[in-house]
């Protein structure tokens, strides 16, 4: 039911700067608060609770995604490097087990996040959230395509470097 929410979160992760910031410096938090209040109709305390939980989910997913990316690099190094196929298989087997476990943990994080969010919303709010997240997802994807969203090593906006 909340699958678009998860994809939107994944897209939003590329917008998160790597340094810690206060809430006033985090446009993503403010954007989410505004959307939850204006479009979904959540009062500020309820919107803040959802945004706080969403932020924790983003951070947890970011950490798991980072670990998965590191494993993928190790996979590539082994698979593209020298050696016989059976040697490569022996080297990647324990990494593959780690990879599968991390993916399982990501799924558990996602399901727990969705359950936590649903518990904070009534059915009408849940539907409004789903519709709003689909719109946010589309807008984020468009912004990424246009180069308006920060990617690691790239400016936040074309031609404008962040300090």
């Amino acid at each position: 039911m909340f699958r678009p929410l998860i994809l939107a979160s994944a897209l939003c992760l590329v917008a998160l700067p790597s340094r810690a910031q206060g809430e006033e410096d985090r446009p993503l938090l403010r954007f989410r608060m505004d959307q939850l209040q204006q479009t979904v109709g959540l009062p500020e305390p309820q919107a803040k609770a959802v945004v706080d939980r969403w932020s924790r989910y983003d951070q947890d997913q970011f950490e798991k995604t980072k670990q998965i990316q590191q494993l993928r690099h190790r996979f590539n190094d082994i698979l593209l490097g020298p050696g016989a196929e059976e040697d490569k298989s022996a080297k990647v087997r324990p990494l593959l087990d780690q990879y599968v476990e991390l993916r399982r943990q990501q799924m558990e994080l996602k399901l727990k996040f969705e359950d936590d969010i649903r518990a904070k919303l009534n059915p009408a709010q849940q539907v409004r959230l789903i519709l709003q997240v689909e719109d946010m997802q589309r807008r984020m994807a468009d912004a990424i395509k246009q180069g308006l969203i920060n990617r690691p090593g790239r400016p936040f906006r074309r031609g404008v470097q962040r300090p």
Side-chain angles (χ1 to χ4, degrees), residues 110-121:
K110 178 174 68 170
L111 294 173
K112 175 75 171 118
F113 170 68
E114 291 173 354
D115 289 345
D116 289 351
I117 295 300
R118 288 186 68 195
K120 293 175 175 42
L121 306 175

Side-chain angles (χ1 to χ4, degrees), residues 37-163:
Q37 289 177 282
Q38 294 169 12
T39 307
V40 180
L42 299 182
E44 186 173 348
Q46 192 177 17
K48 180 159 180 26
V50 171
V51 167
D52 289 346
R53 179 61 180 94
W54 201 342
S55 294
R56 286 192 319 272
Y57 169 76
D58 284 344
Q59 186 61 40
D60 292 343
Q61 282 289 39
F62 177 78
E63 290 302 319
K64 297 294 179 200
T65 299
K66 190 167 78 173
Q67 292 173 8
I68 286 172
Q69 288 173 342
Q70 291 170 346
L71 283 174
R72 291 178 69 117
H73 287 294
R74 292 178 64 192
F75 285 152
N76 283 335
D77 290 345
I78 293 167
L79 295 175
L80 297 175
E85 191 70 14
E86 64 186 46
D87 292 337
K88 291 178 181 183
S89 290
K91 289 178 183 177
V92 297
R93 180 169 291 129
L95 300 178
L96 180 59
D97 292 340
Q98 290 175 27
Y99 178 85
V100 169
E101 176 60 20
L102 287 169
R103 293 295 304 250
R104 187 192 59 73
Q105 290 173 10
Q106 277 188 318
M107 182 61 72
E108 286 177 6
L109 286 171
K110 178 174 68 170
L111 294 173
K112 175 75 171 118
F113 170 68
E114 291 173 354
D115 289 345
D116 289 351
I117 295 300
R118 288 186 68 195
K120 293 175 175 42
L121 306 175
N122 66 42
Q125 290 170 331
Q126 290 179 33
V127 171
R128 285 187 200 106
L129 179 63
I130 289 168
L131 296 174
Q132 180 58 34
V133 167
E134 287 175 354
D135 183 56
M136 288 168 43
Q137 174 185 338
R138 181 189 47 76
R139 293 188 341 221
M140 276 297 232
D142 290 346
I144 289 170
K145 287 178 188 174
Q146 294 174 16
L148 300 175
I149 299 295
N150 183 35
R151 292 185 188 174
R154 292 191 52 193
F156 183 72
R157 295 197 176 173
R158 289 185 182 153
V160 178
Q161 294 288 331
R162 292 191 112 165

Side-chain angles (χ1 to χ4, degrees), residues 12 26-36 132 136 139-140:
C12 291
R26 296 187 61 189
L28 180 59
L29 291 178
R30 187 73 247 155
F31 173 74
R32 286 176 175 170
M33 279 290 292
D34 291 345
Q35 294 300 306
L36 290 171
Q132 180 58 34
M136 288 168 43
R139 293 188 341 221
M140 276 297 232

